Amino acid sequence: MPDTNEVGRAARYRLGIDVGGTFTDLCLFDEAQGTLRTYKVASTPDDFCHGIVDGVRALLAEARLPAAALGYLVHGTTVATNAMIQRSGGRVGLLTTAGFRDLLEIRRQSRPHDELYNLFFVKAPTPIPRHLRLEVPERILADGSIWLPLDEAATIRAIEELVALRVETIAICLLNSYVDARHEQRLVELVREHAPGVDVSASYQVLREFREFERLSTTVVNAWLQRPVGHYLQRLESRIAEERIKTAPFVMQGNGGIMSVEAAVRGPVNLLVSGPSAGLMGAIYTARAAGFDNLLTFDMGGTSTDVSLVQRGAPIVRTDNEVAGYPVRVPMLDIKFIGAGGGSVAWINEGGALKVGPRSTGAHPGPACYAQGGREATVTDANVTLGFLHPERLLGGRKAIDRTLACDAIMANVARPLGLDLSTAAHGIRTIVNTNMVGALKLVSVEQGYDPRDFALVAFGGAGPLHASAVARELGMRTVIVPESPGILCALGLLTVDRRFDIVRTAVMAIREATVTTINDIWNELDGEATRWLEGEGVPVECRGLVRIVDARYRGQNYELALPVSLGIWTDATLANIERHFHEEHERIYGFHSEKAAVQMVNFRTVAQGIMPKPSMARRAASNSTLRDAQIGVRSVSWEAERAPAATPVYARERLAPGHELIGPAIAEQMDTTIVIAPGEHARVDDYLNLVIDLSCDQPARGTRMGGA
């Protein structure tokens, strides 16, 4: 693979590839023309590389381009997240300080908020069984002093024991190593010397931050993912090279940035929620062009729905994350997930109530209408039955479907058991899945103190635009934005992000007791490490950037607020400004502050950024074509269970031009999705081919434009 130093800086053709549980999406951007070409193929869970290669070959053939024309390639992957959910990580051993072998099982007393009253709640199983967790004699105290030197002979025996037990990776997490890492550094050297074929994951490299259990959990997850993620990415590199693509791939992280494959193999924990993060960044990029910066993002795919909140164009980044029951304290975009997608199965519980999801039929066998052997009723089957989806084909005609099979599945699994007619049963499936998704959007808005009516809903994913207006109306929202290519927005989002690496150090100190000399030393260390990472990634000097963040709290609190702070040398005035800013943020978020309480700085963070070129979307000129030119037919659609189906005009999305307006009921079809415009709704095509749907034509949207909320 070539050096990534010059990759993407002057590339005309840039390719984003996002692999989901059901489909693999590809987005080819032509910088010279400012145009997008998209493609969608079924994912291949047995080896996702097969689906990727099939999609790349087909897309390049359609565009009549040689593989060598690609100058930039970014990949969003579900491999890390799937390994966590399926608990299919590598075989990992742990070396930890004597006396702390069982910390991984003791954990915290807290439990998920939705499980507080579940008497039968069971925590996620420990990823490393007890016989693979070994102790080494050593102890560094919280002030960095060595109370017990590392016993190297005992350490070597422990390493050899883990090798004999056939571990693939050794995780290292010693007490207080976030203060002084010398013992962990020596352990890494000993592992490489006495276990050369074994990978190693040390906490000082993964998360140099206090809170012992969270640091241990994050390090273990990183070790757990090293083998499956590493093997996958190395296979991907090889397959890309075999296709004669000359550019080195980048990989999407969960923090909203990208990194090289080499960096991703070392830190696979950063790849969790990779694909959904790309979708969020793509939503921000396209909505900004439409003139909106306060957003609720709504990404509904075949398996799940991902939602998030964006205020003033900036996503929320969190470090107190949990994935599949395991704490992971690396920065991630704040995205909530539920099991609600086109393939979500409708089923009846023991009490006779209709439920939808979280189980999905996935790519195979898929919904019953796919005619691939599926017999269960799904959300897609309901949409086909009601007429929202084309009754014979999807994906621009490449995916044949069978409406009769959809109707049969709903009758057999839902309608007859509940004594309902076909239409009522199908509407019930849609209503329940919509209600589930409304609940997810409330988690990121109402429960965080935000009013959904102050935001526009950006709908994407293959199924998002099918359900967006119904979900938005339930929340009292007034505006829905459907990007030009919503089904592949995650793939487009991959082309809009920068390289990023987050570095953190814990140093607890009260602001009024801190010395600026000590703080400037910390920043010099962090900034230097960030610069070295950027150099290692091959980022040109003129494309480098640094961002600083401080986690602060009132003394005695067990949670922190992240405050962006200025670069440069700190002074006493800087400290005073940070203290004032903290009081203001605490008041804004929690409704109170206390100027008498001592404010502590806890964690210091430097974010290394490698600025990458962004697609420059071209503004489209108005067309002489009429709306009638875009109409491709009329379809009978059941809009409400109590009313007869209505004849509904159907439009080809690619024929819609700036200035075109659609009055509901209407449906717009395109290769990667179907857009539903309900009766009484008004949609217009803007200059960037976004479809902006107004749900209340007689009322202006509340605060959704730039600068609102």
Side-chain angles (χ1 to χ4, degrees):
M1 283 291 173
D3 193 329
T4 60
N5 186 47
E6 297 296 325
V7 170
R9 297 184 67 188
R12 173 175 175 176
Y13 295 103
R14 304 176 194 164
L15 180 62
I17 305 172
D18 177 62
V19 178
T22 306
F23 289 106
T24 293
D25 303 331
L26 300 95
C27 177
L28 180 67
F29 183 77
D30 182 344
E31 179 65 36
Q33 301 294 325
T35 56
L36 297 173
R37 184 183 291 270
T38 63
Y39 206 78
K40 207 174 185 78
V41 295
S43 294
T44 50
D46 291 342
D47 185 350
F48 287 117
C49 292
H50 293 324
I52 291 173
V53 170
D54 290 345
V56 170
R57 287 174 177 171
L59 180 58
L60 291 176
E62 187 177 89
R64 298 182 179 179
L65 287 175
L70 293 178
Y72 185 55
L73 192 154
V74 189
H75 174 42
T77 175
T78 60
V79 169
T81 306
N82 288 346
M84 290 286 291
I85 294 172
Q86 298 166 6
R87 298 188 171 93
S88 57
R91 184 174 173 83
V92 179
L94 173 66
L95 295 177
T96 190
T97 302
F100 289 82
R101 180 184 190 183
D102 295 318
L103 179 61
L104 204 58
E105 285 186 278
I106 296 172
R107 317 186 192 195
R108 298 285 184 192
Q109 187 177 358
S110 60
R111 58 168 65 185
H113 74 279
D114 56 346
E115 299 285 359
L116 289 176
Y117 304 106
N118 181 0
L119 299 179
F120 305 100
F121 172 68
V122 177
K123 292 185 176 181
T126 304
I128 305 178
R130 196 170 193 271
H131 72 282
L132 296 180
R133 305 195 304 262
L134 304 183
E135 300 175 345
V136 296
E138 70 85 37
R139 179 65 67 88
I140 292 178
L141 302 182
D143 62 2
S145 60
I146 296 179
W147 184 73
L148 179 67
L150 176 66
D151 186 333
E152 294 198 3
T155 298
I156 292 170
R157 289 195 296 272
I159 293 171
E160 291 173 343
E161 182 176 348
L162 290 177
V163 171
L165 291 169
R166 303 188 309 281
V167 300
E168 299 169 324
T169 307
I170 293 178
I172 298 171
C173 188
L174 303 179
L175 188 66
N176 295 321
S177 60
Y178 69 91
V179 178
D180 189 326
R182 72 182 80 176
H183 284 179
E184 282 199 5
Q185 291 167 342
R186 181 57 182 152
L187 255 66
V188 170
E189 294 172 355
L190 292 173
V191 168
R192 288 175 176 160
E193 180 180 345
H194 295 275
V198 175
D199 294 331
V200 62
S201 176
S203 76
Y204 81 93
Q205 297 170 320
V206 177
L207 181 69
R208 198 162 176 179
E209 188 177 322
F210 81 146
R211 292 196 174 96
E212 209 62 29
F213 169 61
E214 286 76 10
R215 183 163 58 90
L216 171 62
S217 176
T218 305
T219 303
V220 166
V221 167
N222 191 74
W224 207 27
L225 295 175
Q226 276 186 279
R227 280 299 168 103
V229 171
H231 286 171
Y232 168 73
L233 291 178
Q234 288 159 3
R235 262 196 331 273
L236 177 65
E237 275 194 315
S238 297
R239 295 298 300 274
I240 287 174
E242 290 170 4
E243 295 301 307
R244 302 183 186 279
I245 296 173
K246 297 181 179 180
T247 180
F250 292 98
V251 187
M252 184 71 192
Q253 304 178 70
N255 61 12
I258 58 174
M259 59 169 49
S260 66
V261 166
E262 182 181 356
V265 170
R266 293 195 304 268
V269 70
N270 295 295
L271 271 56
L272 292 170
V273 302
S274 164
S277 296
L280 173 53
M281 301 305 290
I284 293 172
Y285 182 78
T286 55
R288 183 179 295 123
F292 296 84
D293 63 353
N294 292 311
L295 317 168
L296 285 174
T297 66
F298 174 62
D299 177 7
M300 183 180 180
T303 306
S304 65
T305 294
D306 312 327
V307 299
S308 189
L309 182 141
V310 177
Q311 190 172 34
R312 298 185 181 92
I316 297 172
V317 179
R318 301 181 65 93
T319 56
D320 55 338
N321 305 295
E322 187 173 285
V323 179
Y326 303 102
V328 179
R329 282 191 67 90
V330 295
M332 294 185 195
L333 300 184
D334 186 22
I335 303 172
K336 305 299 183 189
F337 314 88
I338 63 168
S344 292
V345 175
W347 54 284
I348 300 170
N349 70 6
E350 296 87 346
L354 177 61
K355 300 287 185 179
V356 180
R359 189 169 61 84
S360 172
T361 58
H364 297 284
C369 64
Y370 283 10
Q372 297 175 167
R375 295 290 183 267
E376 295 178 292
T378 68
V379 173
T380 295
D381 293 312
N383 282 318
V384 170
T385 298
L386 296 172
F388 293 110
L389 284 173
H390 196 287
E392 298 176 356
R393 60 184 183 274
L394 298 173
L395 300 183
R398 290 189 290 112
K399 182 72 173 178
I401 62 173
D402 188 329
R403 183 177 183 273
T404 300
L405 293 177
C407 295
D408 290 346
I410 293 175
M411 286 298 300
N413 294 283
V414 178
R416 289 196 193 100
L418 294 178
L420 303 174
D421 61 70
L422 177 63
S423 176
T424 301
H427 275 291
I429 294 171
R430 262 185 67 95
T431 299
I432 290 171
V433 77
N434 287 346
T435 300
N436 293 342
M437 295 183 294
V438 166
L441 285 161
K442 286 181 177 179
L443 284 176
V444 297
S445 58
V446 177
E447 292 195 16
Q448 301 297 324
Y450 297 100
D451 187 339
R453 294 173 296 177
D454 293 332
F455 296 79
L457 186 72
V458 183
F460 56 105
L466 267 169
H467 295 260
S469 64
V471 168
R473 283 198 308 272
E474 187 71 21
L475 290 164
M477 301 177 72
R478 292 157 170 80
T479 305
V480 172
I481 304 166
V482 183
E484 178 186 1
S485 300
I488 55 84
L489 194 66
C490 291
L492 172 62
L494 293 167
L495 304 179
T496 70
V497 296
D498 298 319
R499 281 186 259 190
R500 172 170 174 156
F501 184 62
D502 296 75
I503 306 159
V504 60
R505 293 288 182 276
T506 293
V508 182
M509 61 183 78
I511 284 182
R512 296 183 182 180
E513 299 170 4
T515 63
V516 293
T517 301
T518 300
I519 295 172
N520 285 324
D521 287 343
I522 294 172
W523 286 130
N524 287 337
E525 178 188 354
L526 294 175
D527 293 353
E529 187 172 338
T531 300
R532 288 190 292 276
W533 185 86
L534 291 168
E535 290 173 348
E537 286 283 285
V539 178
V541 174
E542 66 274 14
C543 297
R544 298 176 189 173
L546 299 179
V547 174
R548 289 177 177 175
I549 299 169
V550 167
D551 296 341
R553 68 185 183 188
Y554 287 123
R555 191 193 303 271
Q557 286 183 324
N558 197 36
Y559 57 87
E560 297 84 39
L561 296 180
L563 306 175
V565 296
S566 61
L567 297 171
I569 298 174
W570 278 29
T571 65
D572 291 336
T574 309
L575 292 174
N577 287 335
I578 291 171
E579 184 174 24
R580 182 173 63 254
H581 186 196
F582 174 81
H583 290 313
E584 292 170 351
E585 281 295 288
H586 205 280
E587 178 73 33
R588 183 185 68 83
I589 295 173
Y590 300 108
F592 75 96
H593 74 280
S594 174
E595 297 191 8
K596 294 181 180 179
V599 178
Q600 290 180 322
M601 295 180 292
V602 176
N603 295 315
F604 295 78
R605 304 177 184 274
T606 291
V607 180
Q609 294 180 324
I611 310 302
M612 303 299 288
K614 312 293 188 300
S616 51
M617 305 299 291
R619 186 184 293 269
R620 308 302 173 86
S623 171
N624 293 325
S625 65
T626 66
L627 195 57
R628 180 170 296 181
D629 296 327
Q631 187 171 344
I632 55 176
V634 176
R635 190 155 69 231
S636 179
V637 178
S638 175
W639 291 95
E640 297 181 34
E642 300 81 9
R643 297 187 179 182
T648 301
V650 180
Y651 299 92
R653 174 78 187 273
E654 65 272 13
R655 298 182 190 175
L656 295 176
H660 280 167
E661 297 186 2
L662 288 73
I663 304 298
I667 286 177
E669 293 181 341
Q670 59 189 99
M671 184 278 293
D672 53 346
T673 195
T674 297
I675 305 161
V676 169
I677 304 160
E681 297 175 356
H682 172 268
R684 62 178 176 82
V685 181
D686 72 7
D687 292 345
Y688 295 94
L689 298 184
N690 297 299
L691 195 62
V692 182
I693 306 173
D694 185 352
L695 307 183
S696 55
C697 299
D698 57 334
Q699 298 180 52
R702 256 187 79 191
T704 53
R705 285 281 176 183
M706 290 286 193

